[in-house]
Structure formats: C-alpha cells, structure tokens
Amino acid sequence: MERRKFLKNSTTVTAGLISAPILASCGREKTTVAPIQDSKTVLPIVICTWNFENASARAWEVLSTGGTALDAIEQGVMVEENDVNNQTVGKGGRPDRDGNVTLDACIMDKDGNCGAVLAMQHIANPISVARKVMEDTPHVMLVGKGAEQFAYEKGFKKVNLLTEKSKAEWLEWKKTSKYKPIINIENHDTIGMLAIDENGDIAGGCTTSGMAYKMAGRVGDSPIIGAGLFVDKEVGGATATGVGEEVIRTVGSFLIVELMRQGKSPQEACVEGVKRIMAKNEGRNDFQIGFIAINKKGETGGYCIQPGFTYRTYSKEGHVNNPSNSFLGT
Ligand code: SD4
C-alpha cells in the first residue's frame, strides 16, 4: 500500500510526455524513460478484443472527457460483464461442468500495480473487485471464496450469475458431452482491453467466465498477469483471448510486450506470439487464440490462429472494427 502511494507520488506525467527520470514499473530502481516523441501519436485511444462496440464506446466516453485509462478500462469491460447476452463474460456466462458460473478478471495500471480475482462466484463485476484487490490490499490475486468474501466486505452484492439461457444450454450439453469442456473455435468473446489516456498513461484489463463447462476450479489465462494481460508504460500492452492453457504456457501477453520492447510493431509482435504457440502445437487447427497489442505511441495490432478474429479501436480518428489476418488463413 505504502509503496503504491509512493510510486504514484513519484511519477509525473504530462500530455504525451513522460518526464524523466522516474521510477521503473517494478518500483525498485531508478530508470530513465524516453519521452514520447512521435507527433503523429493518436492519444487517447482504447482497443479491445472482438467487436465490442458498446464496451469500447463506454471506455472512449471516459477517455474523451479527460478520464484516466484505468477508469476507462473498468467502465468499458463492465459493459460486457453486465451484458447477459455475452455468455463468456460476467452475468450470463456459461458455467463450469457442475453448473457454477465462476469468473476471472485482472487489471493493471501504468505503474505495474495489478489485481486479479480467480474462480469467483456470485459477483457481477469481477473487474471492479480486481481493482479493489489492486488498490486496497497488499496482494495481487484473490481466489474463490476468499475473493467472494472480500467483494462482500467491499459492498458488492450477491447475485445469481447463471441465466436461464446458459442453464438450459448447460443441461443440454450434459446429455451428450461426457463432461468434456468446449475448447473449440466458436467459444470466444472474452474481453481484453488496453487504453492510453490523454496524459499518456496506459492501463489494461481482462475479464471472462472462462472456458465453457470447464472442470470445477479450472482457471485460464485471463486473470493471470503476463498471460492474459500485461502492460508496461515504457513499451505498451497486450491482452489475449482463446484457449488459456496455451497462452499461459507461453506467457503470451508478456511475450508480446517484450517483443515490442525489442523493436517489433504491435502487429509484428502479435504475429510472433501466435507463431510461438503454433510451433508448440504443430498440426493442430482446432483451437483459437487471439492477441491484441498497443504501443505507447498508440499504434495497434491484432493477430490470431483462426479466421474471423477482429478487434476494436476507438480514438478521435474514429471507431474502427479491425478484421485481423490469421495464422490459418484470413
Ligand atoms: C480462458 N482465455 O479462460 C479464456 C477464454 C476466452 O473467449 O478467452 N474465451 O481460457
């Protein structure tokens, strides 16, 4: 807690220019951060996985009225958490194979502070609980009952996350599935979001109900910092959607940020991230993973394994759905 306050007070950021020297995101040593110099930079900007128009529009509302990237992320992804028609996020999410809806989310700010909740039940907005973990506790992750208890202490209400639609589908699935989770191409719609505000500050978030009909207790990449999400103000950020086990194995989002640090564009970094995963899964074409990335200048990229992946960008230059190329063809 104290270290976080100290970090916040030690960092001065002005529009489009990060002053130097400032503390590194790990917070333990001094480092010099090069100012953002590209005059063509389009900031603020928000991007998110898939074609989530309403979520990105909400985040843009926050950014375009001078709000912080962190607030934009929380408010933006909450739109999907609250949308019962999105069966991969929040209320309305598909349950595990025993019928429990368990939610995963994480959030990360410009200073490398982060918070996550894993396999949490009965709480509609896991992204907000993750933010509270980040801001009000000395920890990064709270899991299961502990996360739920913490949420109640913070004033979150107990809700039934299993809608009639998701329940009916689950009962149907049980008839023939032999308890095998669905890891196919169609099962997507997790939201990962990255934003840079008008001060040049970056933040990211990721929230999901995870793989449909997973084993009880299973957690994927989405709430794992470095796997489902990573941001570093010196470089940019990345987030993932798809089969979490493969993203965890490659520490996918961290990898993409590191590739950008080494000089790759966001697009090149996402392509390389997908290639690394495919190199470990030679011959497989039955699963989906998509990455999106942004660098600190506001340049963006997205790439995935299967055709059909898109990501949204929203800046003052417009509200754009970006169909992405894919490893297995467009
Ligand atoms: C998971 N990555 O739990 C998530 C699932 C996902 O769209 O992204 N679905 O593995």
Side-chain angles (χ1 to χ4, degrees), residues 50 88 104 187-190 208 210-211 218 220-222 240-245:
W50 305 108
T88 312
D104 305 326
N187 183 22
H188 56 64
D189 277 354
T190 289
T208 189
M211 192 182 285
R218 179 267 184 192
D221 61 312
S222 302
T241 178
V243 178
E245 282 73 4

Side-chain angles (χ1 to χ4, degrees), residues 45-305:
I45 184 169
V46 58
I47 71 173
C48 67
T49 53
W50 305 108
N51 189 13
F52 290 128
E53 191 168 350
N54 296 337
S56 55
R58 176 70 194 113
W60 174 249
E61 230 171 66
V62 175
L63 292 173
S64 60
T65 50
T68 65
L70 197 61
D71 286 340
I73 294 295
E74 182 182 11
Q75 293 297 314
V77 304
M78 269 172 66
V79 170
E80 292 308 313
E81 289 181 341
N82 293 335
D83 180 357
V84 290
N85 294 316
N86 183 337
Q87 291 179 282
T88 312
V89 182
K91 186 172 164 71
R94 293 190 181 88
D96 66 19
R97 66 186 189 180
D98 299 331
N100 306 304
V101 181
T102 64
L103 304 180
D104 305 326
C106 71
I107 195 161
M108 190 166 190
D109 78 5
K110 64 185 168 58
D111 293 317
N113 297 313
C114 40
V117 289
L118 290 71
M120 183 176 68
Q121 295 186 54
H122 305 128
I123 306 289
N125 293 117
I127 196 71
S128 299
V129 185
R131 183 169 177 176
K132 293 260 182 247
V133 173
M134 174 174 85
E135 292 179 339
D136 296 355
T137 83
H139 305 306
V140 169
M141 292 174 153
L142 291 180
V143 58
K145 288 270 173 245
E148 194 180 332
Q149 189 54 41
F150 171 73
Y152 297 139
E153 282 162 21
K154 289 290 166 186
F156 290 80
K157 297 276 170 290
K158 182 168 185 166
V159 296
N160 177 15
L161 297 172
L162 186 62
T163 55
E164 284 308 314
K165 182 172 186 229
S166 287
K167 186 176 176 183
E169 286 181 11
W170 164 66
L171 290 172
E172 197 55 36
W173 167 85
K174 275 216 300 184
K175 288 182 192 163
T176 54
S177 64
K178 303 198 174 91
Y179 278 92
K180 277 181 91 178
I182 295 181
I183 56 164
N184 69 21
I185 300 155
E186 307 303 328
N187 183 22
H188 56 64
D189 277 354
T190 289
I191 184 162
M193 184 178 271
L194 304 160
I196 305 178
D197 61 32
E198 67 181 23
N199 290 328
D201 291 336
I202 189 166
C206 190
T207 179
T208 189
S209 53
M211 192 182 285
Y213 318 132
K214 60 199 173 185
M215 290 175 70
R218 179 267 184 192
V219 173
D221 61 312
S222 302
I224 311 284
I225 297 294
L229 174 75
F230 195 70
V231 303
D232 183 331
K233 70 181 171 204
E234 293 174 45
V235 181
T239 186
T241 178
V243 178
E245 282 73 4
E246 298 303 326
V247 180
I248 292 170
R249 261 195 262 282
T250 46
V251 200
S253 293
F254 180 74
L255 169 66
I256 284 166
V257 172
E258 288 306 300
L259 289 166
M260 291 194 290
R261 191 192 305 278
Q262 290 161 23
K264 289 205 186 312
S265 70
Q267 184 63 31
E268 289 167 343
C270 289
V271 170
E272 177 65 20
V274 166
K275 281 186 178 164
R276 296 269 182 108
I277 289 173
M278 293 315 286
K280 291 186 197 309
N281 288 281
E282 236 187 303
R284 276 188 73 187
N285 63 2
D286 61 346
F287 70 108
Q288 168 70 311
I289 289 169
F291 288 109
I292 62 170
I294 190 167
N295 66 19
K296 66 182 183 182
K297 292 189 286 187
E299 294 165 337
T300 67
Y303 195 67
C304 69
I305 295 172

